[in-house]
Amino acid sequence: MELPGVTDIQKYKKRHKELLYNRSHWEPIWKDLCSYVLPQYGRALYPGFETRPRRGDEDMVTSWPTLAARVTAAGLQSGMTSKSRQWWRASLPDPEMARFPAIRRWLDEVTYRMTFVMGQSNFYEGTYGVWSQAPTYGTGVTVFLEDFEDVIRAHTLMIGEYALASDYTLRNNTLYRSFYMRTWELVNTFGKENVSRQVRNEYDRNNTEQWHHIIHAIEPNDDRIRGGRSNRNMPYRSVYFEADASEDDEGVLEVKGYEEKPFATFRWEIAGRDDYGFGPGWVVLPDCKELHATLRDRGVGIEKSVNPPLQAPVADMDKVVNAAPGGLSFYSTMQPGGGIKPLYEVAPDLNGIQLSLTELRQLIDQAYYKDLFLALMARSTGSAEKTAREVVEIQQEKLLMLSPALERADEYLDDAINRIFGIMLRGGLLPPPPPDIKDQEITIEYVSIFAQAQQMIESAKIEQGSAFIAQLSSLYPEARDILNPDAIGEGYLSAIQIPQRMLTDPRVREQIRRERAEAERQAAQMAQMQQIIEQGKTLSEADMSGQNALSALLEGAMGGIR
């Protein structure tokens, strides 16, 4: 693939324009969410604020919705991608193969090295940015690029900085991100020979602090020739170009490719073929607006009741009124009804307003699963298994409601881990795989608190079913034949994240059972023989001379023989 010319760049600019048009239908509600819930991440929605802060909270009276969103972000970080405890491990599609010692050691080493890189880089800052935005705006995006010092560098984008497109599988496969770089950054990053004429002139004049609009296009490489080894012949195409470059100055900064998708998206919930998601913030946006309006009205009512509008006789118009606490004002007693009085009485129903505010706050907290995440963080000091069990016991219903979003978050983490694995493998930072799995795909097993909690919901069902059959068997013994003990045991242990390597191989298990059955059969035979011997000894010592039950029994037996 040759370096794109003017025609190619116009193609990218045209697609960027089309993607922005598709995104424009989402922007009004994003701006509302920015104004009433999460203004910190929405400045890219407003032209002119891409490179400088924007307060954005002018329409807000309370921080309650923002704090609820922050609790959700912290809960997702703690429950899914905690830096202080293991939350994932490498595995194989075939669990049996993953149990072989040499393969298990390799998988554990891969997990350790990748986890170390995540901890040394800004990976967890990137995930927190996604957990912060997706519950409110519905979508979060991180671009993972190679970094010379930290191996990887996570760039989590703010809402409004990017435009997405999806393929027929409903997965995002195209990202056009927009950002700004200074003149000196462009020259240092892409080289003076690759920047536009305008940037070169600014750099030569030492005018290096000027900002320039850059577009980074990432999309599937439709022109790829399979089997080619070129940097531009990879599954994903990457094109950097200056958005404000003149038509006669291409402004192409860099063209290259990626072996795997270099970005990951988390969409809290999607409808149909939507490229973007929606989340709890969308659901409670009307409640957030009403909360701000009610608090504003309450403040006005209290202010009017404390400092009401006044009325005074026209004759006292030019007199000084001392409205300070304890102040003294004079008025004429010659006029009936003289003096300064409130224009009207203001008595706001503070109890009724407080009940309304409490209801609105509860609705916001419920939408953001605040109780669930607070319960998680309050119990996060114990082991992951204990914490997961406590969360299930207390918040099982809410965890079930949250499960679809957690499964979509796993898709985000799948892409992120796959990208990090590819970067480290190509960089020689991972040990060579054993020959038996050289061409096999690596899968990801999640062992975070939320992953274990979801599994424990299944284990609770197994416990309930087994307890019911046990009770039923006391009345109907044949009921115990309903269940398969091996399947129940394996399913339960898998649900509580017991490693597969700790389980006995089914073939060994069957051999143990055969040996146990044979031992029990032999023991039963020995017991039977011992009983016969003891009976014979007793008979030999019995008195057969008189008339008794034993002699009568023997006589009857002998008579039968005759």
Side-chain angles (χ1 to χ4, degrees):
M1 176 181 172
E2 297 298 326
L3 189 67
V6 175
T7 303
D8 293 317
I9 288 302
Q10 294 306 319
K11 179 183 70 173
Y12 294 118
K13 289 184 177 180
K14 182 176 182 294
R15 188 174 191 198
H16 184 225
K17 185 177 180 180
E18 292 171 348
L19 292 176
L20 291 180
Y21 173 76
N22 295 336
R23 193 189 74 180
S24 66
H25 305 297
W26 299 76
E27 291 177 1
I29 194 167
W30 289 346
K31 290 182 178 180
D32 274 356
L33 291 166
C34 175
S35 298
Y36 293 98
V37 182
L38 203 62
Q40 296 83 358
Y41 288 95
R43 72 187 189 197
L45 295 168
Y46 300 89
F49 288 92
E50 297 88 352
T51 59
R52 56 193 177 96
R54 176 183 179 273
R55 182 175 173 180
D57 61 354
E58 293 82 3
D59 294 324
M60 298 178 65
V61 183
T62 175
S63 60
W64 193 275
T66 305
L67 294 177
R70 290 175 65 87
V71 169
T72 301
L76 288 171
Q77 185 83 338
S78 177
M80 295 198 69
T81 52
S82 174
K83 190 176 182 179
S84 60
R85 58 163 57 100
Q86 185 178 7
W87 53 271
W88 77 283
R89 60 188 174 207
S91 186
L92 295 174
D94 183 2
E96 295 296 327
M97 181 168 288
R99 291 171 56 185
F100 288 107
I103 296 176
R104 186 69 259 172
R105 283 194 298 270
W106 182 80
L107 292 171
D108 289 343
E109 182 65 19
V110 168
T111 303
Y112 170 78
R113 294 192 186 189
M114 291 180 62
T115 301
F116 178 80
V117 168
M118 292 176 184
Q120 293 297 111
S121 68
N122 70 331
F123 174 83
Y124 292 101
E125 295 177 15
T127 57
Y128 184 78
V130 169
W131 306 146
S132 296
Q133 296 183 72
T136 297
Y137 295 110
T139 307
V141 178
T142 305
V143 181
F144 296 95
L145 301 178
E146 299 181 18
D147 185 80
F148 181 76
E149 294 183 357
D150 297 328
V151 184
I152 64 165
R153 180 58 45 179
H155 298 262
T156 293
L157 311 181
M158 293 187 294
I159 194 74
E161 281 188 322
Y162 55 86
L164 296 170
S166 306
D167 59 17
Y168 68 96
T169 66
L170 307 183
R171 294 183 177 91
N172 296 132
N173 69 340
T174 298
L175 169 70
Y176 276 59
R177 66 183 183 115
S178 172
F179 59 101
Y180 286 76
M181 296 181 70
R182 298 179 181 88
T183 299
W184 64 268
E185 289 181 289
L186 285 170
V187 173
N188 290 349
T189 303
F190 300 105
K192 187 176 179 181
E193 68 281 2
N194 294 319
V195 299
S196 66
R197 188 182 304 107
Q198 178 185 351
V199 174
R200 288 196 299 270
N201 292 338
E202 290 175 353
Y203 187 80
D204 292 338
R205 293 195 302 267
N206 203 27
N207 190 13
T208 58
E209 293 297 325
Q210 298 299 312
W211 290 99
H212 295 273
H213 187 193
I214 309 301
I215 303 297
H216 182 197
I218 303 172
E219 59 189 9
N221 190 359
D222 299 331
D223 302 327
R224 178 190 181 198
I225 301 175
R226 297 188 179 276
R229 308 299 299 175
S230 169
N231 189 36
R232 300 177 185 177
N233 197 44
M234 295 182 179
Y236 280 85
R237 180 192 300 123
S238 168
V239 180
Y240 287 87
F241 61 91
E242 298 178 38
D244 50 6
S246 60
E247 292 187 4
D248 60 341
D249 193 356
E250 296 172 356
V252 179
L253 298 170
E254 181 182 80
V255 180
K256 62 177 185 179
Y258 299 111
E259 290 284 1
E260 60 280 314
K261 188 170 75 170
F263 65 92
T265 60
F266 173 33
R267 294 175 291 172
W268 187 279
E269 187 175 350
I270 60 173
R273 293 183 56 84
D274 288 345
D275 295 321
Y276 305 91
F278 58 92
W282 289 55
V283 177
V284 292
L285 180 57
D287 303 301
C288 295
K289 289 183 177 181
E290 186 177 353
L291 177 64
H292 290 298
T294 303
L295 283 169
R296 187 179 291 106
D297 292 343
R298 186 186 68 171
V300 172
I302 293 175
E303 185 178 7
K304 285 188 175 182
S305 65
V306 175
N307 186 21
L310 305 175
Q311 62 177 342
V314 177
D316 297 334
M317 183 182 301
D318 297 329
K319 294 183 178 179
V320 176
V321 177
N322 186 353
L328 180 63
S329 299
F330 297 93
Y331 65 95
S332 173
T333 60
M334 301 301 294
Q335 299 179 359
I340 302 171
K341 302 176 182 178
L343 181 62
Y344 51 83
E345 295 294 333
V346 179
D349 182 9
L350 297 180
N351 290 332
I353 293 175
Q354 186 59 41
L355 289 174
S356 177
L357 292 174
T358 300
E359 180 182 358
L360 291 169
R361 287 167 176 159
Q362 289 176 347
L363 289 172
I364 294 170
D365 291 348
Q366 289 173 8
Y368 277 100
Y369 304 93
K370 187 175 178 180
D371 293 344
L372 171 64
F373 290 116
L374 287 177
L376 166 66
M377 290 184 285
R379 292 164 175 80
S380 61
T381 55
S383 65
E385 180 180 349
K386 181 184 178 206
T387 302
R389 184 174 294 277
E390 291 175 343
V391 170
V392 169
E393 292 173 354
I394 299 173
Q395 302 285 343
Q396 179 172 344
E397 181 179 351
K398 293 181 179 178
L399 184 62
L400 286 171
M401 295 175 62
L402 185 62
S403 292
L406 297 180
E407 292 171 2
R408 298 196 68 83
D410 286 346
E411 294 180 8
Y412 164 83
L413 295 174
D414 286 347
D415 288 340
I417 294 174
N418 183 57
R419 171 64 172 159
I420 297 171
F421 178 83
I423 292 174
M424 295 182 64
L425 186 64
R426 289 188 296 274
L429 301 177
L430 296 178
D436 293 338
I437 61 171
K438 184 175 181 181
D439 297 324
Q440 282 204 29
E441 180 182 355
I442 303 299
T443 60
I444 303 164
E445 181 182 359
Y446 294 105
V447 293
S448 65
I449 292 176
F450 277 147
Q452 293 192 34
Q454 288 176 286
Q455 293 289 339
M456 285 182 180
I457 292 177
E458 296 301 318
S459 70
K461 295 178 182 178
I462 296 175
E463 289 178 355
Q464 294 171 4
S466 300
F468 172 75
I469 293 299
Q471 293 177 359
L472 188 63
S473 299
S474 62
L475 298 176
Y476 306 99
E478 62 272 16
R480 68 185 62 182
D481 300 329
I482 295 174
L483 298 179
N484 182 337
D486 283 6
I488 292 174
E490 291 179 356
Y492 186 87
L493 295 176
S494 174
I496 61 175
Q497 299 287 338
I498 296 299
Q500 186 75 17
R501 65 180 181 276
M502 294 185 180
L503 305 185
T504 306
D505 185 273
R507 290 168 295 184
V508 176
R509 192 186 310 161
E510 290 299 323
Q511 179 65 24
I512 293 174
R513 288 172 177 171
R514 286 195 295 268
E515 293 175 356
R516 183 188 299 120
E518 178 64 20
E520 291 174 352
R521 186 183 65 81
Q522 293 179 5
Q525 290 179 346
M526 292 295 294
Q528 186 177 9
M529 292 178 62
Q530 183 65 29
Q531 184 180 7
I532 294 173
I533 292 172
E534 291 178 356
Q535 290 177 350
K537 181 180 179 182
T538 303
L539 289 173
S540 65
E541 296 175 353
D543 182 9
M544 307 294 293
S545 60
Q547 293 294 325
N548 52 40
L550 180 59
S551 61
L553 178 62
L554 289 174
E555 288 178 2
M558 294 299 293
I561 294 174
R562 294 191 191 99

